[in-house]
Amino acid sequence: MNGINLYIVVPCYNEEAVLPETSRQMLALLSRMKTEGLINGKSRIVFVDDGSKDRTWEIIDSLTHDHDEIAGIKLACNAGHQNALFGGLMTVKDDCDCVVSIDADLQDDINVIPEMVKKFINGCDVVYGVRNKRDADTFFKRTTALAFYKLMRLMGVKMVYNHADYRLMSRRAIQALSQFTERNLFLRGMVPLTGFKSDCVYYNRQERFAGESKYPLKKMLSFAFDGITSFSVSPIRLISVFGGVVCVIAVVMAVYTIYEKLAGNTDAGWASLMMSIWFIGGVQLLSLGLIGEYIGKLYKEAKRRPRYIIEAYINSDNGKEE
Ligand code: UDP
Ligand code: MG
C-alpha cells in the first residue's frame, strides 16, 4: 500500500464539547492526506479517554462505529495527560510508521501535520510542533511559560522552546521511548533524550475551541515542579554550593570575631558563640549536600533509563539496516 501509516493520538479528559468538531476536522484532514497519497488507508485517529466523567467515552465509542478511521482507548480512571498520552503511544507503537500526538482542543493547528509527515519521509524521526506566537494565551500563561523554559535550560534539561506535546514520532523513536521506565513522565524532556534526528514545524496557537482548560494554575505549577525534579539534580547541588558559601562566611566571621575580641569590644562568650554558629552552619549544609549527591545517584539509578539507544545496526549477515 502506498503512503505512510500514520496514527494520530489524542488524549481526552472531559472533552465532550470539542470532540465532535475535533473529529470532524481530523477526519477531513486524514482524507485529504490520503487523496494526496501521503498516508495510507490504514491510518487512524486514536482518542484516548483519560477516565472522563462526562460523555467523552460515549462520543468516542459512537465515532468508532461511524468511522473506520477512528479508534478509541479507554483508561479505567484518570491517569493524567502525560500518562494518557504515553499509554496511547505504547498501545499503537507496533501498528504504525509514525504517530502525531496532539491535544483534543484544537489549540494546535492540525494543518501542519502534512508538513510533519513530509519531514518524517525525508528522514526525521521526531518533528516538534513549535508555537510561533502565543497571542491566544493570557499574559500570565505566556510569561510563566517563558520563565519555565529558561529555568529548565538553566538546569541543563534539553527542551525545545515553545514546544509542548504536539509532535510527530517515528515508530523507532517511540520504541526508544518505551525503554524509559520511569513513573514520573515529562515527555517533552524525555523525547529529546532519544537523540534521533529531529526538526521543527511552526504554527500559531489558537484559543481552545470549546470547554475549559484542564490545566488550572495548581496543576500547571505541579507539572513544572515535576519537570524540574524529574530531570535535574541541580536543586540538590545548590545545597552544596550554599554550604560552601556559608563556610567562606564562617572564615570571614572568624577573622572579624578574633579582631573584635583582641580589640576588647566583646562580652564574654560572644566570640566562641559567633564562631561556632557559622562554622556548624557551614558544616551542616555541606554534609547535607554530600548526602544529597548520593540521593541524586539513587534517583538516577531508580529511573532505570536506557544507557544507550541504537540508531542503526549494519551486519553483513542480515544485510539490512534496522
Ligand atoms: N488531559 C488529559 N488528562 C488530564 C488533563 C488533560 O488527557 O488529566 C488532556 C486534555 O483533554 C487535552 C490535553 O490533555 O486534550 C491538554 O489539556 P488542556 O488543553 O486543558 O491544557 P492547556 O492547553 O490549557 O495547557
Ligand atoms: Mg489546550
Side-chain angles (χ1 to χ4, degrees):
M1 208 182 298
N2 275 336
I4 297 293
N5 190 6
L6 167 77
Y7 271 51
I8 301 178
V9 171
V10 192
C12 310
Y13 178 58
N14 295 345
E15 298 286 12
E16 61 180 6
V18 299
L19 270 178
E21 180 61 19
T22 304
S23 57
R24 194 187 63 74
Q25 292 196 16
M26 285 187 180
L27 281 168
L29 177 79
L30 223 58
S31 80
R32 234 183 308 144
M33 288 168 73
K34 256 184 252 174
T35 324
E36 286 170 18
L38 211 53
I39 59 173
N40 68 24
K42 285 164 80 185
S43 299
R44 295 280 180 273
I45 304 164
V46 186
F47 290 107
V48 184
D49 174 23
D50 184 15
S52 300
K53 295 182 185 71
D54 64 0
R55 293 187 57 253
T56 298
W57 178 246
E58 280 133 73
I59 297 173
I60 295 173
D61 192 28
S62 87
L63 282 169
T64 59
H65 286 108
D66 297 344
H67 307 276
D68 285 344
E69 301 89 339
I70 293 187
I73 300 172
K74 184 181 191 321
L75 302 189
C77 61
N78 182 241
H81 175 213
Q82 298 287 296
N83 290 318
L85 178 51
F86 194 75
L89 293 177
M90 291 306 125
T91 310
V92 305
K93 73 178 190 307
D94 299 323
D95 303 328
C96 59
D97 297 321
C98 63
V99 176
V100 168
S101 58
I102 186 167
D103 291 351
D105 57 7
L106 296 173
Q107 282 193 286
D108 306 309
D109 186 2
I110 62 169
N111 294 310
V112 298
I113 293 180
E115 209 184 316
M116 288 179 162
V117 172
K118 281 177 198 153
K119 290 202 189 248
F120 166 71
I121 293 169
N122 288 332
C124 283
D125 280 277
V126 182
V127 186
Y128 299 104
V130 177
R131 300 159 189 169
N132 246 339
K133 286 192 238 146
R134 301 180 65 130
D135 294 351
D137 283 336
T138 59
F139 172 76
F140 178 75
K141 186 136 187 168
R142 267 200 322 259
T143 32
T144 46
L146 186 80
F148 176 60
Y149 286 111
K150 289 237 163 92
L151 186 68
M152 289 299 273
R153 194 157 295 177
L154 208 71
M155 297 202 185
V157 183
K158 270 201 250 165
M159 257 171 66
V160 179
Y161 181 67
N162 257 345
H163 156 74
D165 284 307
Y166 182 24
R167 72 176 82 81
L168 176 146
M169 294 182 78
S170 67
R171 182 192 181 128
R172 66 175 184 179
I174 299 176
Q175 267 153 1
L177 194 69
S178 71
Q179 296 178 49
F180 287 71
T181 52
E182 59 209 74
R183 302 289 113 175
N184 292 295
L185 294 179
F186 188 69
L187 289 168
R188 64 190 80 168
M190 289 159 67
V191 173
L193 293 180
T194 59
F196 291 115
K197 186 167 179 235
S198 66
D199 204 347
C200 299
V201 298
Y202 298 87
Y203 65 96
N204 290 336
R205 183 151 158 103
Q206 316 288 318
E207 277 195 57
R208 192 173 232 286
F209 172 73
E212 278 177 3
S213 170
K214 311 296 181 292
Y215 270 100
L217 180 64
K218 202 175 127 215
K219 256 199 193 170
M220 232 169 78
L221 285 177
S222 89
F223 185 56
F225 193 68
D226 259 8
I228 294 169
T229 50
S230 300
F231 270 83
S232 174
V233 287
S234 305
I236 291 183
R237 293 256 152 83
L238 277 181
I239 301 178
S240 309
V241 173
F242 193 47
V245 170
V246 172
C247 282
V248 172
I249 296 177
V251 172
V252 174
M253 285 310 282
V255 173
Y256 168 70
T257 312
I258 292 170
Y259 171 79
E260 289 286 291
K261 169 104 184 153
L262 292 180
N265 295 337
T266 62
D267 291 329
W270 181 83
S272 49
L273 268 182
M274 210 51 192
M275 301 225 320
S276 8
I277 287 172
W278 283 99
F279 179 69
I280 288 182
V283 167
Q284 277 178 342
L285 279 173
L286 275 184
S287 316
L288 272 183
L290 185 67
I291 294 173
E293 286 296 324
Y294 285 96
I295 293 180
K297 292 247 155 58
L298 280 177
Y299 150 104
K300 281 193 186 146
E301 292 291 337
K303 279 190 188 300
R304 298 182 155 270
R305 280 187 178 162
R307 296 199 185 90
Y308 54 85
I309 286 158
I310 293 175
E311 180 163 336
Y313 173 37
I314 302 173
N315 181 336
S316 59
D317 278 348
N318 55 27
K320 65 170 190 203
E321 275 190 43
E322 282 262 324

